Amino acid sequence: IDHFKEAFSLFDADDSGVIDLEELGQCLRSLGKNCTERELLDLASEFGKDPMTIDFPGFLDMITSTAMDMDFGKEMIAAFQEFDPTGTGRISRADFLKIMTESSD
């Protein structure tokens, strides 16, 4: 659960305690899941505190749900390994946000 909490914190760029639809989309894209705006709205509606945001318990429910049809453990590891050039298993928040804002993909 700690790894998921850390991932949630990285995508909660504004430290609001929730991931909004834009942050959710970024999170899922980094995990290899490209959702439409409608799919993001559906996920937030199903797992979120309200129809526009997801808090950590909702995020955890979402990634463990079979509705996502992904192997999040492997996908998450693969995504973060790309951003870990030193192989330490860690990426700083500043580096992660820089990668996310400068990436053209």
Side-chain angles (χ1 to χ4, degrees), residues 63-76:
I63 61 174
T64 58
S65 170
T66 57
M68 289 305 296
D69 193 29
M70 290 180 65
D71 186 344
F72 273 95
K74 290 179 184 175
E75 294 288 338
M76 188 174 286

Side-chain angles (χ1 to χ4, degrees), residues 19-65:
I19 292 178
D20 63 28
L21 294 181
E22 181 180 344
E23 293 164 335
L24 177 61
Q26 291 171 352
C27 175
L28 295 176
R29 279 190 299 279
S30 78
L31 298 171
K33 176 80 170 165
N34 292 314
C35 293
T36 65
E37 186 173 334
R38 179 76 245 160
E39 289 170 323
L40 293 173
L41 285 167
D42 289 346
L43 289 170
S45 178
E46 182 176 351
F47 296 103
K49 290 177 65 165
D50 61 58
M52 301 300 287
T53 62
I54 294 180
D55 61 4
F56 180 68
F59 178 76
L60 196 55
D61 288 345
M62 181 190 71
I63 61 174
T64 58
S65 170

